[in-house]
Amino acid sequence: MERQLAAVVLAAGMGTRMRSERAKVLHELAGRTILARALEPIAGLKPRPIVVVVGHQAEAVESAARAAVPDTAIGVARQAEQRGTGDAARAALGALDSEFAGEILIGYGDTPLIKTETLREFVRAHRAGGAELSFISAEMKDPAAYGRVTRDSSGVVAAIVEARDATPAILAISEINTGVYLADARLLRAAIAELRADNAQREYYLTDIVAIARRRGARVNAWRAPDAAEFAGINSREEMARMEESIRHDVNRRLMAAGVTLIDPATAYIAPEAEIGRDTIIGPNVRILGRSRIGAGVVIEGTAWLDGVAVGDRSHLKICVRAEHCEIGPDCEIGPFANLREGTELEGRNRIGNFVETKKARIGSGSKASHLSYLGDAIIGRETNIGCGVITVNYDGYDKHVTRIGDRCMVGCDTQLVAPVTVGDDVYVASGTTILRDVGAGALVVSHHPQREKPGWTAGWRARHAGHPKALKNGAGE
Ligand code: UD1
Ligand code: CA
């Protein structure tokens, strides 16, 4: 029978080395917070619960944690003062049921590359070896500031020594502590109770539980990570940038191997969670964030910002498209210079041209808005043409209102539709019309002012300004 598993993620620290107003774990890596990327693989083990230890910017870190793994039960423990990772783990134990006697996995909130599968193997190895405390170690070419793993003469793990407390001989060790631990709950409670802050940083080090457990005669195991790169932690902006680059490299290589053309991989910024179909071509300076789904045979010319967007097969995004949280159907032509805001849904074969902004606009197949329009809170039917400069007047200063336009309409240039308003199917709207009331199907609607004309007016106007500094030269206008 499997033992009960709980997890703890430490995320209370400020991250001094980031030199930031913002808590380290809230900085973003490939479009998601470091915390989200650290939490997700742990949540993949389905522990119950996951306790996140918060301190610096506690509310923001807590909500980032909940948003990161919405389907997981998250408990929160406050660490009032950041007195070290051992103290943070102690705070977490306080938030767990005191009767809990299963296993506790502990991870740090600043190690965002770990894979669930690796954790699973680690848990398996821990159980198979009958260990009471295990942690993941890794061989690092440049072990830098990581804690070093020391072993006794028989090769058994003796302790983790922090770099700041290490002698040159210990600093020369290349086996480091990755910061992932798995322990029997009872042993963990007892070991944490014994922590002392007698070290270079005057902090309670969680790492000391290894030596304590050994002293208590417990079975301790260091499980070597198959791939050390997975366990890189982020402590500085430089490390963050380097990690961003390496994630990007991996994503781009995977996409190209799967049949996506990246015209310039150096300027393709694509989130690891994005999906992109075959024979899609991505031009320079493109950012694709979140769980975007881009179909097959799509062309994204370049300079685009797409966040949480679905794009159907064969659609063509011309230069400079910004789109977030919207659905673009197949065979659409978008841009150049289009802004598709959240809640835009294009059914397919749509054209959204230059300087068109859409928001919560549901547009039926084959309909077009080719130039200079604002379509907000709009439901537009199929095969309708929205002329240049059409505006849905959706906001009265208090509430937003919906505009409905039917199928096969011709909405003339410079029309304003004052919502809430409904225009039926097959309506022709004359250019320059202000639509205030519903229009029945099949009608022509016109609100032109009668045109007036004063022959010869211009010459008189100019004559009255003959002495003006801006009067036209060379006798023009006289
Ligand atoms: C830690 C380990 C080190 C290991 C490395 C792996 C300790 C003492 N050292 O060092 O052996 O090689 O991680 O990446 O554990 N935190 C709190 N409360 C605190 C202090 C820290 O919640 O009082 C959190 C931080 O927010 C962070 C995590 O714990 O997410 C790790 O803290 P950090 O200061 O980055 O530890 P390292 O110096 O990297
Ligand atoms: Ca760290």
Side-chain angles (χ1 to χ4, degrees), residues 17 24 108 110-111 146 233-235:
R17 289 162 279 180
K24 172 171 70 180
Y108 295 159
D110 66 349
T111 45
Y146 291 98
I234 292 187
N235 299 300

Side-chain angles (χ1 to χ4, degrees), residues 10-13 17 24-25 79 82-85 88 108-111 146-147 160 162 177-179 181 205 207 235:
L10 309 186
R17 289 162 279 180
K24 172 171 70 180
V25 295
Q79 187 193 18
Q82 280 63 63
R83 295 188 298 167
T85 49
Y108 295 159
D110 66 349
T111 45
Y146 291 98
I160 297 171
E162 288 307 288
N177 166 37
T178 67
Y181 316 80
Y205 290 165
T207 45
N235 299 300

